[in-house]
Amino acid sequence: MKMKSAVLFVLLAFLTPTFSYAQVNTLNQYKLGAGDLVRISVYGQDDLTLETLIPDVGVVNYPYLGEIALLGMTISDLESYIYNGLKPDYLVEPSVSVSIVEYRPFFINGEVEKPGGYAFQPGLTIDKAAALAGGYTERASKTKIFIVRDINGEQVTISADRSIAILPGDIISIEQSFF
């Protein structure tokens, strides 16, 4: 019995970093969208620091560069864009940093106690999202779960299991079970 527990522990120890890495890797490729709160700063240049909520149109006004369309950009895309925009005319070697202060919310509906929008936190799975929404109802199906996700500008519906990682802006639907 102790041997089985030890083997299970070792397997979990090896698998856990893989799941964490997959979530981090997904967030590294995360595309900015309406509702994200971002902070842009340039080292030593307080007048170039901006913290803004990305509006529905996805455009923000940044000093010296004017309007920047943020929708669909990754953090590294935005850092490069600002770096390249400031370097030739304004700064010799700007040190640009972009971070997400708060992700846009995810939404959960269907057979949960309190459907609605909730603040995204890295590492959320469908089970954890359901827990934030007060838990599953008695009639909730544990297998009929769908996610509507924006992939490259298109709304795609994905059939999911309860352990799948969710992303900001996801819409989770928990269907009703018949038994």
Side-chain angles (χ1 to χ4, degrees):
M1 186 64 154
K2 288 183 181 181
M3 183 64 167
K4 286 182 183 179
S5 297
V7 170
L8 181 61
F9 178 75
V10 170
L11 283 174
L12 287 175
F14 283 113
L15 292 177
T16 301
T18 304
F19 294 131
S20 298
Y21 174 75
Q23 179 72 22
V24 170
N25 192 31
T26 301
L27 289 177
N28 284 341
Q29 299 305 315
Y30 176 69
K31 295 185 186 282
L32 298 171
D36 287 330
L37 180 62
V38 295
R39 179 179 174 80
I40 304 168
S41 58
V42 178
Y43 180 75
Q45 304 293 322
D46 292 338
D47 58 329
L48 296 177
T49 295
L50 175 69
E51 189 169 302
T52 186
L53 184 67
I54 300 174
D56 288 340
V57 293
V59 176
V60 297
N61 195 9
Y62 190 74
Y64 303 114
L65 302 181
E67 292 184 342
I68 302 174
L70 300 179
L71 293 182
M73 287 183 123
T74 64
I75 289 175
S76 60
D77 291 341
L78 182 55
E79 286 174 342
S80 295
Y81 182 87
I82 293 171
Y83 173 86
N84 291 327
L86 294 175
K87 187 175 179 184
D89 298 327
Y90 303 106
L91 298 172
V92 175
E93 198 64 36
S95 178
V96 179
S97 173
V98 177
S99 60
I100 299 175
V101 176
E102 187 176 303
Y103 292 95
R104 62 187 177 268
F106 71 91
F107 299 88
I108 186 165
N109 60 48
E111 295 299 319
V112 290
E113 295 295 333
K114 299 175 189 168
Y118 292 90
F120 175 80
Q121 304 160 24
L124 277 178
T125 62
I126 290 177
D127 270 347
K128 290 176 184 176
L132 287 174
Y136 296 104
T137 65
E138 289 179 11
R139 296 167 31 183
S141 172
K142 302 298 196 282
T143 57
K144 294 180 185 173
I145 302 170
F146 301 95
I147 297 175
V148 176
R149 180 173 288 168
D150 185 14
I151 299 177
N152 297 324
E154 276 190 51
Q155 296 285 319
V156 177
T157 301
I158 303 165
S159 180
D161 64 40
R162 297 178 353 205
S163 63
I164 194 168
I166 63 168
L167 296 175
D170 279 355
I171 302 169
I172 305 164
S173 294
I174 311 295
E175 300 291 322
Q176 189 176 33
S177 175
F178 291 109
F179 298 102

